[in-house]
Amino acid sequence: MYLIVGLGNPGRQYEATRHNMGFDVIDKLVEEYRIPQGGVKFNAMYGKGIIGGQQALLMKPLSYMNLSGGPVRDMANYFKIDPETEMIVIYDDIDTEPGNLRIRKQGSAGGHNGIKDLIKQLGTQKFIRIKVGVGAKPQGWDLADYVLGRFDSKSRELVEDAQERACKAVEMILSDGPDAAMNEFNRKSGVV
């Protein structure tokens, strides 16, 4: 079984913000693959279903972004999931343009506090991640204000397309492996 984690913040005030990209992709996966909701466990919403021919456990930690690691660690331990080989984390990336995806099999937190906590709680940097681009913050902006803000209509369109492609990337990772998904999705949107 694979654990698919979307990072974000709970609460209506955070819906559709840049920082809730992971939650948004999980919502699309739930809808697209008709994943039944399992309720709340380990301070996370979750559901189980089949994606890409594999059993998948989808989760949205409810602990707020900067404390995501605890619920993910507890869920992985409970379901005996190896984070290094059976987990995918989806989150926003300010170093990637809106509409683009970056899939990696490991790496540092790159300044992302949710990933920083995951690495700390799991004790490893080796886990698959799908970074959905939200674009760099404008000069003079506070980073927290930027990531907790919403997209303009043009960027929103690009991001919704990227969320759809992130769902396809999850399916490809589960069916064909991360290398196939990296080859397919680690290029700029609109490039064939």
Side-chain angles (χ1 to χ4, degrees):
M1 177 158 43
Y2 282 81
L3 177 60
I4 318 297
V5 180
L7 297 186
N9 289 307
R12 293 187 69 88
Q13 71 270 34
Y14 299 110
E15 287 177 7
T17 61
R18 291 178 182 90
H19 224 21
N20 268 32
M21 191 57 62
F23 275 18
D24 291 347
V25 173
I26 291 292
D27 290 343
K28 284 189 184 300
L29 285 166
V30 164
E31 189 179 314
E32 197 164 315
Y33 296 95
R34 295 182 176 87
I35 307 292
Q37 293 303 289
V40 176
K41 190 184 215 73
F42 305 118
N43 199 22
M45 291 175 60
Y46 77 101
K48 282 193 232 175
I50 303 290
I51 299 175
Q54 301 284 344
Q55 273 199 316
L57 179 67
L58 277 59
M59 79 175 280
K60 298 191 319 190
L62 300 175
S63 56
Y64 291 94
M65 178 67 80
N66 298 353
L67 299 172
S68 299
V72 173
R73 179 200 60 223
D74 293 347
M75 193 78 77
N77 287 344
Y78 182 81
F79 287 100
K80 296 176 176 47
I81 289 165
D82 178 358
E84 292 191 356
T85 59
E86 301 168 323
M87 184 174 83
I88 301 169
V89 181
I90 306 162
Y91 61 99
D92 60 296
D93 183 24
I94 61 169
D95 295 323
T96 302
E97 286 301 310
N100 293 330
L101 302 178
R102 299 301 293 164
I103 301 170
R104 295 280 183 258
K105 292 191 279 188
Q106 64 182 351
S108 71
H112 194 288
N113 289 331
I115 297 297
K116 204 176 290 181
D117 194 57
L118 240 71
I119 290 169
K120 178 181 162 194
Q121 295 293 336
L122 297 172
T124 184
Q125 293 186 4
K126 290 184 178 179
F127 52 85
I128 300 166
R129 64 246 358 236
I130 299 175
K131 305 192 249 184
V132 183
V134 297
K137 75 173 180 68
Q139 194 170 353
W141 279 49
D142 176 72
L143 181 59
D145 288 342
Y146 179 70
V147 296
L148 295 176
R150 290 177 171 77
F151 297 97
D152 60 35
S153 56
K154 182 182 173 208
S155 292
R156 182 86 234 162
E157 222 172 271
L158 293 170
V159 165
E160 285 178 6
D161 177 62
Q163 290 171 352
E164 289 294 333
R165 285 184 295 106
C167 291
K168 288 177 175 49
V170 167
E171 181 177 4
M172 185 174 276
I173 290 167
L174 297 188
S175 63
D176 302 326
D179 290 331
M182 288 167 69
N183 288 337
E184 178 70 22
F185 294 100
N186 281 358
R187 55 183 178 210
K188 293 191 184 305
S189 64
V191 176
V192 180

